[in-house]
């Protein structure tokens, strides 16, 4: 369970302060697929990035499984981040590393033993359907395959939460469907909580259990997808 209590995030921009997130309170339940929608600049990405403390709240508290994470530092922060994977619109793979090494990277960084890394990466390659691409480089993959590598990398450690920042925006319709199916499978099979930012209504209707609508840093609405969008 992820809880935001009166969370604000402020940036110091060239033209003064930007209140990217304003006094936002929200609860994301364990095991759900939770969507965040809203126009560009609404604060979606900033809010998502507070969950692994890539952004720090200027006010308010954030709790994960009832633990206040807001001020975590050092080793505690490192351990928190191991449980939270993230995927991106443009995949953010490392160009000069193979698929295997991209997926292994978070485990190498965490100091896992070589045997364990080997076993886990092969499991993940199987899960995302890329066992035959282990030695390929990112430039040899399609967009959908790159995102599958991104997903495998995000699951490499003891992932409990998967953060997705516009994960299908760079993909065509058919590829989007297959990535959404993979995310659903991961949610159901592994019980991983998924938080997904999107501007695509199809994505929300297709996989989200609940959705939050943001505008100008504020939370406008939160509820079941059906209540918010289908039958408001
Ligand atoms: P969204 O994901 O909904 O498009 P963002 O969270 O990216 O929104 O941005 C929210 C607001 O914060 C915008 O006004 C944006 O310009 C501003 N912002 C985002 N990141 C930074 C930053 N690193 N420095 C200054 N302002 C930022
Ligand atoms: P495309 O838009 O062509 O599908 P990407 O947006 O993923 O590809 O990025 C273009 C290239 O840059 C890819 O080969 C990718 O592996 C590489 N790349 C993307 N992010 C990073 C990064 N953070 N570090 C190194 N290389 C990256």
């Amino acid at each position: 369970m992820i809880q935001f209590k009166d969370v604000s995030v402020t940036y110091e921009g060239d033209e003064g302060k930007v209140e990217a997130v304003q006094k936002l309170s929200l609860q994301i339940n364990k095991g759900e697929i939770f969507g965040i929608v809203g126009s560009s600049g609404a604060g979606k990405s900033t809010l998502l990035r507070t969950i692994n403390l890539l952004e720090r709240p200027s006010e308010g508290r954030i709790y994960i499984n009832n633990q206040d994470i807001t001020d975590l530092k050092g080793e505690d922060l490192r351990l928190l981040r191991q449980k939270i994977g993230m995927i991106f619109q443009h995949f953010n793979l490392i160009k000069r590393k193979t698929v295997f090494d991209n997926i292994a990277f978070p485990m190498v960084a965490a100091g896992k033993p070589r045997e364990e890394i080997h076993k886990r990466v092969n499991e993940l390659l199987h899960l995302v359907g890329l066992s035959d691409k282990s030695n390929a480089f990112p430039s040899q993959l399609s967009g959908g395959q790159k995102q599958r590598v991104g997903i495998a990398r995000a699951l490499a450690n003891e992932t409990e939460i998967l953060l997705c920042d516009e994960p299908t925006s760079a993909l065509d319709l058919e590829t989007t469907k297959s990535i959404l199916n993979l995310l659903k499978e991961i949610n159901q099979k592994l019980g991983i909580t998924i938080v997904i930012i999107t501007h695509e209504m199809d994505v929300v209707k297709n996989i989200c259990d609940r959705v939050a609508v943001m505008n100008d840093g504020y939370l406008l609405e939160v509820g079941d997808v059906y209540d918010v969008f289908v039958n408001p």
Side-chain angles (χ1 to χ4, degrees):
M1 186 170 65
I2 306 163
Q3 280 172 293
F4 301 92
K5 285 203 178 149
D6 294 320
V7 169
S8 298
V9 184
T10 308
Y11 293 110
E12 297 289 344
D14 295 336
E15 288 138 44
K17 280 188 179 176
V18 179
E19 307 271 0
V21 175
Q22 311 207 41
K23 291 250 172 234
L24 189 145
S25 297
L26 178 67
Q27 183 171 316
I28 298 173
N29 300 320
K30 206 181 186 104
E32 76 178 336
I33 303 185
F34 189 90
I36 304 175
V37 303
S39 53
S40 176
K44 306 180 296 295
S45 190
T46 302
L47 183 69
L48 190 78
R49 292 159 58 88
T50 61
I51 297 172
N52 55 4
L53 295 174
L54 289 177
E55 307 294 349
R56 295 260 179 187
S58 43
E59 281 177 71
R61 315 301 301 176
I62 301 170
Y63 302 83
I64 297 182
N65 298 335
N66 296 317
Q67 182 199 4
D68 186 341
I69 63 152
T70 322
D71 297 322
L72 288 189
K73 289 188 191 66
E75 181 65 3
D76 292 337
L77 178 59
R78 201 179 69 77
L79 290 174
L80 172 81
R81 285 187 176 151
Q82 278 189 26
K83 295 187 203 161
I84 306 177
M86 191 162 182
I87 62 171
F88 308 88
Q89 178 174 0
H90 294 293
F91 324 119
N92 294 10
L93 303 179
I94 302 170
K95 237 194 255 186
R96 285 178 187 79
K97 285 189 190 289
T98 62
V99 165
F100 186 100
D101 288 337
N102 265 283
I103 298 171
F105 190 69
M107 301 181 74
V108 173
K112 298 274 168 73
R114 207 167 154 271
E115 289 291 287
E116 187 186 331
I117 294 176
H118 211 266
K119 183 162 170 283
R120 181 75 180 134
V121 172
N122 283 321
E123 279 170 15
L124 289 165
L125 281 167
H126 181 73
L127 176 75
V128 301
L130 288 180
S131 295
D132 56 336
K133 297 287 181 193
S134 181
N135 295 315
F137 287 90
S139 61
Q140 297 170 302
L141 303 177
S142 69
Q145 289 171 333
K146 285 181 195 172
Q147 194 57 291
R148 285 170 185 271
V149 177
I151 291 169
R153 177 181 59 183
L155 299 179
N157 286 315
E158 291 73 30
T159 308
E160 294 173 14
I161 298 169
L162 179 60
L163 307 179
C164 311
D165 195 343
E166 298 275 3
T168 59
S169 300
L171 305 174
D172 62 40
L173 208 67
E174 208 53 41
T175 311
T176 293
K177 271 191 209 156
S178 75
I179 293 295
L180 293 181
N181 284 338
L182 177 59
L183 291 175
K184 254 190 230 174
E185 185 186 334
I186 285 164
N187 170 255
Q188 283 163 8
K189 260 196 196 164
L190 310 176
I192 289 175
T193 305
I194 296 182
V195 188
I196 180 166
I197 295 179
T198 182
H199 64 265
E200 297 164 299
M201 208 40 70
D202 278 356
V203 171
V204 173
K205 287 186 180 162
N206 201 306
I207 69 164
C208 294
D209 299 310
R210 291 194 308 138
V211 64
V213 184
M214 288 183 74
N215 185 45
D216 216 3
Y218 289 99
L219 178 65
L220 282 188
E221 213 177 340
V222 58
D224 290 351
V225 171
Y226 191 82
D227 295 332
V228 174
F229 289 113
V230 185
N231 191 19

